[in-house]
Amino acid sequence: MKFSTLLPALAVLCSTNTLYAQSGKANDLVARMNLEQKVELVVGMGMRLPGPTAASDKKADTGKHAIAGFQLPPSLPNDASIPEKVPGAAGRTHAIESLGLPSITLSDGPAGVRINPFRNEHPNQTYYATAWPVGTLLASSWDTALVQQVGKAFGLEAKQYGIDVILAPAMNIQRNPLGGRNFEYYSEDPLVSGHIAAAMVKGVQENGVGTSIKHFVANNQETNRSSVNTIVSERALREIYLKGFEIAVKDAKPWTVMSSYNLINGIYASESPDLLTGILRNEWGFKGLVMTDWFGGKDAVAQMKAGNDLLMPGTILQYNAILKAVKDGNLDEKIIDRNTARVVDLILELPVYKKYAYTDKPDLKADAALSRKAAAEGMVLLQNNNNALPLMKTTRKQVALFGNTSYDIIAGGTGSGNVNKAYTISLEQGLLNAGFSIDKNLMEAYTGYIAAEKAKQPKPRFFFELVPRVKEMNLEQPLLRIEAQNTAAAIITIGRNAGEGADRKVENDFTLSDAEKNMIQQVCNAFHAKNKKVIVVLNIGGVIETASWHSMPDAILLVWQPGLEAGNAIADIIGGKINPSGKLAVTFPINYQDEPSAKNFPGKELHPSAHKGFSLMGVPSEVVYEEGIYEGYRYFNSFHVKTAYPFGYGLSYTKFAIRPIRLSTNEMKKSITATVTITNTGKKAGKEVVQVYVSAPKSNINKPSEELKAFAKTKLLQPGDLQTVTFMITPADLASFHTQQAAWIADAGTYTIKVGNSSENILQTATFELPEQVVTEHVSHLLVPQQAIQEMHMQ
């Protein structure tokens, strides 16, 4: 699909992607290496334990460290004695100094550079990074130009800290609301995920810093993530779970791809020639490097053969296994030459090889300002009865803040998606900065309660263990009456957090706790009795249930997890400085059981008795994707299941009109061009997101009732202003995967273009004909499931 004003950032090819123009230099260097040096380059340097102390401690690492039952294998001899260039980074490769090849540094980064803030050699200096808005929030902006701008700043920050490759973006499909790492991921839809990821990749790599799109592929849960067998049909895999990665690979040319932990139809992703060579390289033309997720897979030799070039973080067991296999004739040295050359190709493009003089002093102030802007752009106004928001100046006299999270905001999730940031602006502080007055008595009650309760909590045992949130404070009726009498409005903040290593639960996580529901009910009763407004702020990383309580408050603002400038960005929306323009990139169901994957998430354990306490690796299990292609809105729309808030939904402080679609022709041959004009018909400046869905004619295979094929976010339109956007659709955009033919086919017939501002609010339609069937691509049968799948289908 090609765009004019639609997705403008995606039309710009990053000129720094010279990794894809491979020269003979890598092969020349590989030819000068002995076997041991080659194997060192395809096996990382091992991993230092993250923790509160400096990672540059030069004590020898014996590898005999355990994290809650997860034994870290030893690294190669003497590696641990080599100080890290960037303490707290996720991993390193070996240097071949005799050939001028330095060690490269890789850092976690879905929501910001993750490094240690303290270093032994500089005890009086701190090293903080920007906590950017989480992936779900960035996708909710539907603004690729903005995301590319964030990526550019993100990449420069990484470069200034001496980092060569950022392990981001994370772009798995949000298959189920309970996914523990959904906050890192962009959307339930592969088109949104692919284009947002492509924008991020381009922005980061403008700096000459590499990215690693992850987790490739079908890593859609944390439960038993390293041992779960994902059983999925060829069609669902290609149309839903691979498609976003394909868009990012072809559009943005990421320098690396990270293979995922899970098995796919019986084979580990990192050991799958079908995935890493057949699809990624042969079909998509990827020429970069593939690395494992940390300690991913089981068989180092199989990983080498499959096209997994770099094993991270690297262990002595892997090194020995590869070396032995080559010497025994079980692994062709040409495969090692190939994989080593890809590692060298990457090294030759990175800042460390080019001797970039990093400063350790990125412009954190400028990055914080951009983080604040991006956060506000992705916030979604879910409800706004009687124009409760924005709060007018007369309402700012005194605001009552309820809920622990109003004073203890959540900037982002846990695990590798966490960031060591210098601060997080609470909602309380953000409102004060914006000129609001906050009731001090209530504030003191909450801050004292939170501090006391946190003091009772155990410390996390490892760096990504999620400590439970403090239970909501009980609200006494006298206090509520006083607050309702003396303050002008109430704001209640509901918080949720999740992260690496565990999925969420339905009770008291997807649903609100009784304490939270009681708080909302009590505050609404007290303030509505005085004809005063109540606003609920949702500071969450993933979808929650809203249908049972949304009628109580006047307004609901979904702020996701907004990064370190959280409170300031929220205040920008609440106070009307910025008009909300975010749209949901994921559906909010009425009930959890309405989700198409609810019956088979996270699957079943094959040997439940194998549990031996906590284990990151999990136990053997399987999950069957019985919903097939009917993921997210494709299911809700096709099967007419009501939602709490549909995909693509989001309110504004102003109104927009979309003029009828103009088609270039009524019969598609090679392509068809459509144009729409958006006008701000309201009284405030704002932005609108135009969403283009297409309904296909009936054919011999099931298809969703409509699928997103394009989107565009307008510029800031003043009242009365308009903007015209143009997009072009080709037969490839219409094609579905026909499994028996192993081909992408656009069926002949009448197609309907539907333009609206959510998947359920279509404002304009037009039809065109595809006169004859078009086979847009023939592929091979790859990643074929070894068992029958009873997939969902429409009657």
Side-chain angles (χ1 to χ4, degrees), residues 407-454:
Y407 307 91
D408 187 23
I409 209 82
I410 303 168
T414 65
S416 59
N418 194 11
V419 182
N420 288 317
K421 50 201 171 294
Y423 63 87
T424 300
I425 300 295
S426 67
L427 178 56
E428 163 215 349
Q429 187 60 53
L431 290 171
L432 289 172
N433 293 342
F436 286 82
S437 177
I438 306 299
D439 182 75
K440 291 183 178 179
N441 292 329
L442 189 60
M443 177 183 68
E444 290 173 357
Y446 265 106
T447 53
Y449 168 77
I450 293 169
E453 292 300 308
K454 280 192 171 184

Side-chain angles (χ1 to χ4, degrees), residues 619-653:
V619 298
S621 60
E622 67 178 28
V623 57
V624 183
Y625 285 19
E626 294 175 332
E627 70 277 8
I629 61 168
Y630 292 103
E631 169 57 32
Y633 72 89
R634 288 171 169 81
Y635 166 76
F636 290 99
N637 289 13
S638 299
F639 289 85
H640 307 290
V641 178
K642 291 184 179 180
T643 63
Y645 299 106
F647 177 83
Y649 171 86
L651 300 176
S652 172
Y653 296 155

